[in-house]
Amino acid sequence: MDNATADIASQRVSEILDKAKSVFALNGFDGASMQDLAQATQMSVGNFYRYFPSKDAIITALVKRDMMEIEGLFDAIKASADPGAVFMQLLRLRIETLPLEDAALWGEVQAASFRSPEIATLMRDMEETVRTNIVNALVRIHGDDSAPARETFATRAQFIMLLVHGFAQRKCCARDSISPLQSAAVGELVLSTLHDTIFAPPAPPAV
């Protein structure tokens, strides 16, 4: 079983990925050895290699699993009679409950993308998928599928991603240097900005 055939949706592979994620978040991508990863999953190194032959393969699987989850979230927005409310609900959940481990992991994945062309390509594909889904969500929220509106929504999508990613990285880096009350206040400010960004009508076309 290699990374090309491992079923990332299976419970066993998902359990392995959860344990690997914790090891990467704690030790860093470079600091975590395959032995560390195997030990965390209570497997022999040889058996672990049957699932994932390298750390890059694990990162690839983690990114692909997140892409599946993200697509599911945007499917919920598409299916809702009130897509704006669902979008804000999902963003609030992300801002308020994002584990530090997840924030730390994505910092490691971003760093790994500078060293691995394969991971860099995967990250670009993921970001493009998120951007496209955000634009389509904004189109549905505003009922405007015109080219000028889509151009505006594409810029807003970039800004939304920047805010969410930036908050996650700040939450990870600040850790104990910011109190829970301060962190919550910053989160509310981010959510307020996200709300304004999502619901502001696109500018009318220039006459």
Side-chain angles (χ1 to χ4, degrees), residues 19-29 31-32 101 104-105 108 175:
K19 296 292 186 182
K21 179 173 71 173
S22 297
V23 174
F24 284 143
L26 181 64
N27 299 332
F29 184 73
E101 182 179 271
L105 173 69
E108 292 296 326
R175 295 182 183 265

Side-chain angles (χ1 to χ4, degrees), residues 117-157:
E118 292 80 10
I119 294 177
T121 298
L122 196 62
M123 290 299 293
R124 283 195 297 270
D125 290 345
M126 182 178 185
E127 290 192 355
E128 182 57 33
T129 296
V130 174
R131 277 195 298 270
T132 300
N133 276 291
I134 292 176
V135 169
N136 289 337
L138 293 175
V139 165
R140 185 152 185 269
I141 289 167
H142 291 277
D144 190 343
D145 195 21
S146 66
R150 277 192 168 271
E151 185 175 351
T152 296
F153 296 152
T155 301
R156 292 184 187 180

